[in-house]
Amino acid sequence: MGESVPVAHLPDDLRTALDDELGRFPETRLTQTVDRLSKRYRQGDSATAPILASEPDVAAYAGYRMPATYAAVAAALAEVAAAAPTFAPRTQIDLGGGTGAAVWAAAGTWPSLEKCTVVEQVAGALTLGRKLAAKADEPAVRSATWQRGSIDPAGAAPRADLVTLSYVLGELPERGRTEVVRWLAAEAGTVVLVEPGTPAGFARIRAARDILRELDRPIVAPCPHDGACPISPGEDWCHFAARLPRSSLHRRIKSSTLGFEDEKFAYVAATTAPIDRPEARIIRHPRKHKGFVHLDLCTTDGLAPATVVSKRHGPRYRAARSAEWGDAWTAE
């Protein structure tokens, strides 16, 4: 059985800028900090954000999480762009944006972007994000605004064509998340939320999706419909993956020999733009056998697990052989 994961390549300018910044500090210090942060991240879904007390801490965190965050957000935004082909955002606000991975991902998705704003409460992350952005080829990233602030639904709602929030909902108190999602969507043309691809991360995305539905915001991705999620809570979870090639420095500070990592994530996007959603979404690795392929689909009519596409389907079979987890699919 073959398994395919879409590959997300870090932009050359970001990879070079990040490696240059990491190169300012002893690798042993970076490796120790990455190990500490990695253990904390794997413990999962803590309401406490990582403590970034020094420049090496911030650099290590960027080296550890920025490439993976970029990969996940870029994959989610690519599906938004595919399902809303006329959407051409000029403005973006990224809340809790850290060192700006989502801004780089958005600028790589939509050349129309002109003004990007990153809001982040950790001053060191803003400082590093600004330094990295200064070396960007994309004008929207290079001219981005870096603003210190927190996620506060008591303040003015973020007003932009694109509002992004990635890997942040889990750091917020559960009782306030509904208000945060309503606040994010209030003035946004399109809102995109990304969380870890864990059962808990999906539960947060599912809850956010329900709120967006209550606001009559059409779901543009990944779902092929606006109806209730057909996945039974506690029995399964919907998530996707992006494969990110690692640089040699990235491998060393993560004490890894693999040349890549797979970032698993859950996401939801809602928009006011015209949409052309796919009829189905592949929600698990396609299982490819001799002469046929099994596809696990979410469709407009609900879940369609183990859908068989065989050689007799001709072009559909060839498409299924090359299909990847997370791809759109046309139902028969």
Side-chain angles (χ1 to χ4, degrees):
M1 179 178 69
E3 292 190 350
S4 54
V5 175
V7 178
H9 293 277
L10 209 63
D12 289 342
D13 47 349
L14 176 54
R15 185 180 66 250
T16 299
L18 190 55
D19 283 355
D20 287 348
E21 187 62 26
L22 293 172
R24 296 177 52 225
F25 306 103
E27 281 190 24
T28 53
R29 170 70 184 273
L30 295 174
T31 301
Q32 291 169 357
T33 303
V34 165
D35 182 63
R36 173 170 56 86
L37 294 174
S38 177
K39 288 178 181 176
R40 189 167 183 174
Y41 183 81
R42 286 198 305 269
Q43 287 170 355
D45 314 321
S46 169
T48 305
I51 298 173
L52 306 178
S54 66
E55 276 194 285
D57 284 350
V58 174
Y61 183 73
Y64 164 54
R65 283 303 305 161
M66 193 174 183
T69 300
Y70 171 89
V73 176
L77 297 185
E79 297 303 329
V80 173
T86 64
F87 178 58
R90 296 177 58 191
T91 58
Q92 177 193 13
I93 297 178
D94 184 34
L95 282 300
T99 52
V103 167
W104 288 80
T109 305
W110 290 289
S112 58
L113 268 180
E114 298 174 0
K115 179 176 175 54
C116 300
T117 301
V118 179
V119 179
E120 167 59 46
Q121 63 180 342
V122 179
L126 289 171
T127 299
L128 178 55
R130 189 181 292 111
K131 288 176 66 176
L132 297 174
K135 300 178 181 180
D137 293 334
E138 293 285 352
V141 177
R142 205 165 50 245
S143 63
T145 298
W146 300 82
Q147 178 180 325
R148 191 171 188 185
S150 59
I151 296 168
D152 182 11
R159 176 175 293 184
D161 298 332
L162 174 66
V163 173
T164 49
L165 186 81
S166 50
Y167 298 94
V168 175
L169 278 177
E171 298 175 359
L172 303 177
E174 183 176 357
R175 64 183 179 276
R177 290 174 191 159
T178 295
E179 189 177 2
V180 167
V181 174
R182 290 181 177 274
W183 176 71
L184 291 171
E187 300 289 343
T190 295
V191 60
V192 181
L193 309 175
V194 181
E195 284 289 297
T198 61
F202 170 64
R204 291 191 291 272
I205 289 296
R206 182 192 178 101
R209 182 182 183 276
D210 286 342
I211 296 164
L212 294 169
R213 290 176 61 226
E214 290 173 6
L215 297 173
D216 293 325
R217 288 298 190 96
I219 305 300
V220 62
C223 316
H225 58 83
D226 290 322
C229 177
I231 295 176
S232 299
E235 293 184 7
D236 202 353
W237 73 100
C238 179
H239 66 294
F240 304 95
R243 175 160 293 176
L244 181 73
R246 288 172 171 160
S247 68
S248 58
L249 178 58
H250 197 196
R251 289 197 300 272
R252 292 198 300 274
I253 67 170
K254 297 192 78 166
S255 301
S256 175
T257 57
L258 289 177
F260 65 89
E261 66 178 84
D262 288 342
E263 176 66 8
K264 295 180 180 179
F265 63 97
Y267 76 101
V268 66
T271 188
T272 58
I275 59 176
D276 183 17
R277 283 185 300 223
E279 297 176 5
R281 177 81 59 189
I282 300 171
I283 59 173
R284 290 289 183 273
H285 286 294
R287 301 188 296 282
K288 301 172 184 178
H289 309 276
K290 185 176 181 179
F292 68 97
V293 179
H294 274 136
L295 298 179
D296 293 326
L297 303 174
C298 181
T299 76
T300 54
D301 296 323
L303 298 178
T307 297
V308 176
V309 184
S310 67
K311 278 188 175 181
R312 66 183 178 83
H313 291 101
R316 288 176 61 79
Y317 172 71
R318 290 190 290 275
R321 296 294 301 180
S322 61
E324 297 179 330
W325 180 14
D327 282 355
W329 185 255
T330 300
E332 285 187 301

